[in-house]
Amino acid sequence: MHQTTESKITVQKVKNSRIAQVDFKNLTFGNIFSDHMFECDYINGSWQNPTIKPYGPLTISPGAKVFHYAQAVFEGMKAYKDDNGNVFLFRPELNHERINKSSVRMAMPEFPKDIFFEALETLLQLDQEWIKPGMGNSLYIRPFSIATQVGVSASPSDQYKFMILLSPAQAYYTGDVKVVIAQKYSRSANGGVGFAKAAGNYGAQFFPTNLAKAEGFQQVIWTDANEHKYLEEAGTMNVFFRINDTLLTAPTGDRILDGITRKSVIDLAKRSHIKVEERPVLVSEVVDAAKNGTLKEIFGAGTAAVISPVSAFSYANVTYNIPSNNHEYALKLKKELMDIQHNVAEDTFGWRHQVV
């Protein structure tokens, strides 16, 4: 689909900021939004009227196709502020590439790169006071696109809305995470949309995740849909397994999201001469490693959570604990990653994108 747009961004500023009402020391992830949001509509084959306006509700028909056929994709990004007040994005070009890849898979129009970056940078400049300095603080960024054509015929929409919201954030998970390895439910299948950040992928996870929570676990490690033999993702994160001194992670493909944090963890590990294998990981080899003591670590990696060590996993009603003093790689890689994101360490990879 076309990526043309008819005009540059119009900015409508708020009269009074809501920032004084926010307790930045007690944030619940994703519940508070900054003063402004970005909105752009796809009509008659082009993106039109890109606008930054005060954050507020939308008026949308209940007949909009997003509600009936789930044409919706999104991204997750973060902005960081260093102690000098400089604001940075982390590898944002990859988020733009991925939301367009997701859009193509969902038969939705791609969004122009120039408007994407102008919108991001203008929003962050307007709402930079919502980004607090300090390790662990960030501004979570949620770009998304939805189908807005009115009609319940089973066909792709010809109208869409692209938006960007900003939400101040702290840690996504507090403490270690306990997980269940899936034996019945699946996240995605070959030929499906598992590689895309399609909204329906996440909605389908909630029921089996609720079952896991009822058993005292926070997340599910998903397995392949065919035989449930191979480990794939952990909840909303890519997942790594350390057996002896080697990191194992599933290869990306139809079923697995090509995570930006995942890419970065692999690059950081290789820089430290940590052996990384991107290959199918059998449930049986991880269970065997847990039994014989060669399983040293499991950790999830994603934008919201950054890196989350797993303290225990359950499979076939047996729970295997991972001692907290085994989180060496997870903590090392998390520190190196966050130091780059917060401009504490030299960025030898060229990942930081300065905004202010």
Side-chain angles (χ1 to χ4, degrees):
M1 291 185 175
H2 299 299
Q3 292 192 55
T4 57
T5 187
E6 293 189 351
S7 62
K8 292 295 184 180
I9 296 174
T10 299
V11 177
Q12 303 168 9
K13 295 182 180 180
V14 296
K15 293 182 179 178
N16 297 295
S17 175
R18 293 177 285 104
I19 195 168
Q21 303 168 24
V22 177
D23 181 0
F24 284 89
K25 294 182 179 178
N26 293 286
L27 295 171
T28 300
F29 184 85
N31 281 16
I32 302 295
F33 295 94
S34 71
D35 288 323
H36 298 91
M37 64 184 188
F38 172 75
E39 183 176 347
C40 189
D41 292 305
Y42 185 87
I43 303 170
N44 297 325
S46 68
W47 289 103
Q48 302 179 23
N49 304 319
T51 303
I52 289 174
K53 59 175 64 175
Y55 176 85
L58 300 176
T59 300
I60 187 169
S61 168
K65 289 198 173 187
V66 64
F67 300 130
H68 305 277
Y69 302 109
Q71 272 190 292
V73 298
F74 69 93
E75 268 301 317
M77 314 170 60
K78 283 182 177 178
Y80 308 88
K81 181 181 284 185
D82 68 14
D83 291 338
N84 296 318
N86 301 306
V87 173
F88 300 91
L89 292 165
F90 182 75
R91 310 188 76 176
E93 70 285 348
L94 296 182
N95 294 100
H96 176 259
E97 290 173 7
R98 193 170 62 185
I99 198 169
N100 279 346
K101 184 178 179 181
S102 299
S103 295
V104 169
R105 180 61 181 85
M106 297 300 292
M108 300 170 68
E110 297 173 72
F111 196 74
K113 184 176 183 178
D114 59 336
I115 302 299
F116 181 82
F117 274 89
E118 183 181 354
L120 276 176
E121 295 186 359
T122 306
L123 270 174
L124 292 173
Q125 288 164 6
L126 280 172
D127 287 350
Q128 60 184 283
E129 294 304 313
W130 289 78
I131 315 171
K132 299 303 179 183
M135 197 63 66
N137 293 325
S138 63
L139 188 68
Y140 185 76
I141 303 169
R142 173 51 60 90
F144 65 98
S145 185
I146 60 174
T148 53
Q149 180 189 358
V150 176
V152 295
S153 60
S155 60
S157 177
D158 62 13
Q159 297 179 16
Y160 297 87
K161 187 179 292 291
F162 188 97
M163 301 189 68
I164 303 175
L165 309 179
L166 307 178
S167 178
Q170 294 174 310
Y172 190 74
Y173 294 115
T174 55
D176 294 344
V177 178
K178 296 170 64 178
V179 300
V180 175
I181 294 178
Q183 293 181 266
K184 177 180 178 180
Y185 296 101
S186 299
R187 178 186 172 275
S188 60
N190 288 338
V193 297
F195 69 90
K197 287 189 75 71
N201 287 349
Y202 297 81
Q205 295 183 32
F206 295 156
F207 175 69
T209 301
N210 282 346
L211 296 179
K213 288 179 177 178
E215 298 296 324
F217 298 89
Q218 286 77 43
Q219 281 293 355
V220 176
I221 295 185
W222 305 105
T223 50
D224 66 289
N226 292 335
E227 301 174 276
H228 298 288
K229 288 173 56 177
Y230 296 98
L231 296 156
E232 299 198 333
E233 292 193 19
T236 58
M237 302 177 285
N238 295 112
V239 62
F240 289 81
F241 306 89
R242 177 188 170 192
I243 296 180
N244 289 318
D245 291 330
T246 299
L247 282 180
L248 309 178
T249 192
T252 58
D254 284 353
R255 304 192 306 267
I256 297 174
L257 185 72
D258 190 8
I260 295 165
T261 305
R262 174 189 180 276
K263 290 178 187 286
S264 305
V265 165
I266 291 170
D267 287 343
L268 287 167
K270 289 180 177 178
R271 185 177 71 176
S272 294
H273 306 291
I274 295 171
K275 185 178 180 182
V276 180
E277 294 182 6
E278 297 177 71
R279 62 166 176 83
V281 182
L282 286 162
V283 174
S284 59
E285 69 178 308
V286 171
V287 171
D288 288 345
K291 290 178 179 178
N292 64 34
T294 58
L295 178 65
K296 304 300 183 183
E297 298 181 65
I298 302 176
F299 58 87
T303 297
V306 190
I307 292 177
S308 290
V310 171
S311 62
F313 75 91
S314 174
Y315 179 70
N317 297 316
V318 178
T319 298
Y320 302 87
N321 293 306
I322 302 171
S324 59
N325 59 0
N326 277 7
H327 297 332
E328 176 189 351
Y329 283 11
L331 298 179
K332 167 185 168 60
L333 294 168
K334 182 175 184 178
K335 182 180 187 304
E336 290 179 3
L337 182 61
M338 293 182 68
D339 282 352
I340 292 174
Q341 291 170 334
H342 288 269
N343 196 28
V344 173
E346 182 183 1
D347 178 14
T348 59
F349 297 99
W351 289 340
R352 281 195 301 263
H353 176 97
Q354 186 163 354
V355 176
V356 178

